[in-house]
Amino acid sequence: MPHSALPSKVLYIDLTRRRFWVEDRGDLFEEYLGGAGVAAQLLKEECPKGTDPFSPDNPIIFAVGPLTCLFPMASKTVAMFKSPLTGELGESHAGGRSAIAIRSAGYGAIVIKGASDMPIYVAVHGSKVYFRDAAAYWGMESALTVGRVIRENEPGSGVRSIMRIGRAGEKLVRYAMVMTETFRHFGRLGLGAVFGSKKLKALVVSGKNTVEVPNKKLFRDVYDELFKLMVESDLLKKYHEIGTPINVLTLNALKGLPTRNLKSGEFEGAEAISGEKLAEDFLGRRVACAHCPVACIHLAALREPYEEEPYFYKTTWVSYDYELTYALGSMLGISDTVGFLKLVDTVEKYGLDAMSTGVCLAWATEAYERKLISKEDLNGLEPKWGDHETYIKMTKLIVTQPNDFYKSLAMGVEAAATKYGGLDFALSFGGNEMPGYHTGPAAHVGYLTGARHSHLDSAGYSLDEKTIGATPSPEKIADELFKEEAWRQVLSSLVVCFFARRVYTPENTSKALRAAGVERSVEELTSLGTKILAEKYEFKFREGFNPENLRVPKRIFETPTPHGKISEETVRKAVQLYVEKVKSVKK
Ligand code: SF4
């Protein structure tokens, strides 16, 4: 029997009893490979039906896969939990050093259960687990500072991962994120709030284990082939050079860039927040997740003078990508580049998801324009499109929640609009705030049907962009999105960065697995993807997701897309067909 690089060990950490233990769950990795596939099973095992997302019974699961530590761009970790934002499946992916650290510590997955009665952080160094007092870090204004302080106290410099929350997580903002290695995030669906509900300030992981492969020659050959595709072909060039904000001008030209709460798909100030402008005037560094040759993470150097000392400047590094440029830029009508970067920095510091925050602020601005909320509700503030200073103040208030209005806004745009009105222009899908593509019907069907209501589930925007001028039928939309989301379950189980999806084709993925000693044909992988998707949906249904009750914000039908105005009938039909497909999967 050749040696295989499949992980098998799962570390269980019980915060209530301050205990930990390791189980061999080779059964799960053999069947589901790792990542999302294994995490979905652990979630079903550990999360009782109907669990309150803030109850100690809501587990947090981190999982990596058989290619982690072995192949480039298998650099991500999947986090799974019950989402406090949507009340059903919570899934978020991040890189940094999280994946490499978990695998080097000897684990395929980590399950965190229970809750602490006082602020703590957990440090996992290989087989040792420490529960450390975090009272001194609780309440610190910036999540960036928390990381800096923890790294002074923990070993493993250069290989360890520090996953931590900011004030937003502590205050249970339902779209609080978990920051890892400063510039990466488990951004979506409120993992930060689940950390906060457990009084868990951070998880630190490091290790020294290596991963063996059965056939070193085969491994080297496949590695070289994939590496060359990543660095020598054009497949990933755009991610390194200008980065994902290259989409700003492209989408604006197509009239698919959500602007001012999607009153328009075109932003007259797009140039000022474009990837090109940011690269020319602010780009100071590019950094990468561990084991990635692409380095798509762009850091702007924001240089500001100290008020009291002339010719003395403070430089702040602000990471930017397309999604937050849309949400904190065009969606709020902001075209002051420095103001935009300051807002991004504020959102990062407090540990909020940028997309959800931008959508909430945009809705609040329109709700104020329409007199659904008053200046008093807004704590004396008057939001205006483009006014980044007011948005910075509002961001702080979302975290501190001084009154009922900000308490509602901290629960997401759906909750706020349900209470104050304005659901027609509250841009959330399945409870999750909208991503940055108003490209046509497929993008919105993807947000509605995706297991985590994300543009990354099935990339509907990509289908829209390929079919401008020939809008596909609902049947075609449902077919294409289903195929894409099913295949992405395989990538999520490995856990490969989606930017490498054109490198990790089904054939190359099967080859890479073989080099890791794991034999899976293309057909087996394809059917595994479909099975994992159906199982994730099973969890959604179990927790009350009902596609028939899905709210579709009217605004998406009013504002033209590159396909013209979207037909509501097409969207609803495609959603229905998609769900029928998921339900018909035989496992
Ligand atoms: S392309 Fe970017 S997000 Fe993906 S692994 Fe590389 S650095 Fe991380």
Side-chain angles (χ1 to χ4, degrees):
M1 182 81 178
H3 167 81
S4 115
L6 270 179
S8 69
K9 293 209 165 46
V10 177
L11 170 66
Y12 290 83
I13 298 172
D14 181 344
L15 298 177
T16 310
R17 292 176 192 80
R18 307 236 170 151
R19 285 180 54 235
F20 68 93
W21 65 96
V22 176
E23 288 182 24
D24 194 307
R25 297 305 307 269
D27 56 325
L28 288 184
F29 287 93
E30 186 59 47
E31 189 168 354
Y32 294 99
L33 297 175
V38 166
Q41 297 309 310
L42 290 169
L43 183 69
K44 270 194 253 172
E45 286 177 15
E46 297 293 335
C47 183
K49 185 177 173 195
T51 295
D52 178 335
F54 290 150
S55 128
D57 287 341
N58 188 13
I60 297 169
I61 293 141
F62 291 106
V64 297
L67 303 187
T68 309
C69 285
L70 290 180
F71 282 98
M73 296 187 82
S75 305
K76 299 259 178 166
T77 302
V78 163
M80 236 179 242
F81 49 98
K82 184 168 173 183
S83 165
L85 187 63
T86 63
E88 34 111 338
L89 184 80
E91 180 184 344
S92 193
H93 301 187
R97 286 196 290 261
S98 58
I100 306 292
I102 291 170
R103 188 111 209 241
S104 304
Y107 308 111
I110 297 178
V111 178
I112 301 174
K113 301 148 61 110
S116 172
D117 52 4
M118 56 173 281
I120 55 165
Y121 79 88
V122 175
V124 177
H125 296 297
S127 58
K128 301 214 165 59
V129 177
Y130 304 91
F131 297 87
R132 310 237 207 247
D133 184 350
Y137 310 141
W138 204 260
M140 260 184 190
E141 195 179 64
S142 168
L144 301 159
T145 315
V146 172
R148 274 186 216 122
V149 178
I150 290 180
R151 75 184 183 216
E152 296 302 317
N153 299 329
E154 293 295 334
S157 172
V159 291
R160 101 205 119 189
S161 179
I162 303 176
M163 298 167 246
R164 73 275 192 177
I165 57 169
R167 291 284 288 142
E170 293 174 11
K171 300 287 284 179
L172 307 185
V173 178
R174 288 172 192 242
Y175 42 93
M177 53 88 161
V178 171
M179 180 187 291
T180 177
E181 280 63 79
T182 312
F183 300 119
R184 295 283 85 191
H185 318 97
F186 293 95
R188 308 234 68 195
L189 298 174
L191 179 62
V194 181
F195 262 56
S197 72
K198 296 182 180 304
K199 293 258 186 307
L200 178 63
K201 186 69 189 171
L203 173 69
V204 182
V205 185
S206 79
K208 293 186 176 153
N209 286 14
T210 52
V211 181
E212 296 295 326
V213 290
N215 179 339
K216 290 198 169 61
K217 159 117 186 42
L218 177 66
F219 172 69
R220 262 198 307 271
D221 290 347
V222 178
Y223 189 106
D224 288 348
E225 189 185 329
L226 298 180
F227 190 82
K228 268 193 193 143
L229 279 173
M230 287 168 194
V231 298
E232 289 178 15
S233 74
D234 284 340
L235 290 175
L236 289 151
K237 231 183 188 157
K238 74 167 187 179
Y239 297 107
H240 176 74
E241 286 176 350
I242 291 186
T244 52
I246 198 167
N247 289 341
V248 171
L249 293 183
T250 315
L251 284 165
N252 198 45
L254 291 173
K255 300 189 175 48
L257 177 69
T259 299
R260 294 188 182 89
N261 204 32
L262 196 56
K263 287 182 184 184
S264 165
E266 204 179 3
F267 182 38
E268 72 290 348
E271 196 73 46
I273 52 164
S274 66
E276 290 81 347
K277 167 79 178 168
L278 289 164
E280 274 162 28
D281 293 355
F282 293 93
L283 181 60
R285 281 166 69 195
R286 291 185 187 90
V287 291
C289 299
H291 209 167
C292 172
V294 174
C296 79
I297 307 161
H298 286 57
L299 305 182
L302 181 61
R303 193 164 169 264
E304 293 170 281
Y306 283 98
E307 269 174 32
E308 314 263 302
E309 292 189 66
Y311 308 115
F312 196 55
Y313 293 86
K314 168 174 89 166
T315 302
T316 309
W317 293 101
V318 184
S319 78
Y320 61 90
D321 63 21
Y322 170 67
E323 292 302 335
L324 57 79
T325 308
Y326 128 77
L328 302 173
S330 61
M331 197 63 165
L332 300 176
I334 294 179
S335 56
D336 171 332
T337 321
V338 170
F340 158 72
L341 288 171
K342 284 186 182 170
L343 177 59
V344 172
D345 186 49
T346 306
V347 167
E348 176 92 355
K349 202 169 69 182
Y350 286 119
L352 288 158
D353 174 47
M355 278 190 256
S356 290
T357 307
V359 171
C360 284
L361 292 173
W363 169 83
T365 309
E366 189 167 345
Y368 180 64
E369 278 180 347
R370 291 171 178 250
K371 302 195 176 9
L372 296 174
I373 52 174
S374 65
K375 194 171 161 184
E376 197 189 343
D377 290 322
L378 288 154
N379 223 31
L381 298 175
E382 294 181 274
K384 277 191 302 295
W385 304 115
D387 178 2
H388 68 270
E389 279 169 11
T390 300
Y391 291 130
I392 287 173
K393 288 180 191 150
M394 288 174 73
T395 302
K396 207 180 265 185
L397 295 172
I398 287 174
V399 176
T400 55
Q401 298 161 45
N403 64 15
D404 283 351
F405 174 72
Y406 286 104
K407 280 191 180 83
S408 296
L409 209 53
M411 292 174 76
V413 79
E414 184 108 14
T418 303
K419 181 159 178 191
Y420 290 90
L423 273 167
D424 287 351
F425 54 88
L427 290 157
S428 68
F429 297 81
N432 192 18
E433 282 77 18
M434 178 184 169
Y437 303 87
H438 185 52
T439 45
H444 293 285
V445 174
Y447 309 152
L448 289 161
T449 56
R452 46 190 174 133
H453 303 288
S454 159
H455 62 298
L456 294 171
D457 286 321
S458 52
Y461 60 89
S462 168
L463 179 60
D464 284 334
E465 283 170 14
K466 282 187 223 143
T467 54
I468 293 172
T471 308
S473 65
E475 288 75 10
K476 174 94 176 148
I477 293 173
D479 267 3
E480 293 288 324
L481 297 191
F482 182 83
K483 238 193 290 161
E484 185 65 29
E485 187 165 6
W487 173 249
R488 286 182 181 222
Q489 302 315 306
V490 177
L491 299 181
S492 304
S493 298
L494 292 177
V495 182
V496 162
C497 173
F498 283 166
F499 292 164
R501 62 191 180 275
R502 281 187 282 273
V503 173
Y504 286 94
T505 59
E507 291 70 25
N508 285 346
T509 304
S510 173
K511 240 196 268 179
L513 280 168
R514 181 170 312 125
V518 183
E519 285 295 339
R520 296 287 188 280
S521 66
V522 167
E523 293 68 34
E524 283 169 327
L525 288 174
T526 310
S527 74
L528 176 64
T530 309
K531 175 167 141 170
I532 295 171
L533 177 56
E535 292 191 354
K536 276 163 66 169
Y537 250 86
E538 214 171 85
F539 182 84
K540 289 166 75 70
F541 287 136
R542 194 193 86 173
E543 297 304 320
F545 172 72
N546 182 352
E548 279 160 29
N549 297 343
L550 267 176
R551 183 183 71 83
V552 188
K554 282 221 176 70
R555 174 61 47 83
I556 71 162
F557 303 118
E558 294 162 358
T559 302
T561 72
H563 286 254
K565 282 198 180 177
I566 299 174
S567 131
E568 183 164 354
E569 207 189 331
T570 301
V571 169
R572 294 211 182 265
K573 182 77 190 158
V575 169
Q576 181 207 331
L577 292 168
Y578 190 98
V579 175
E580 279 168 15
K581 271 178 186 299
V582 175
K583 284 186 172 165
S584 69
V585 173
K586 290 194 182 46
K587 286 181 275 159

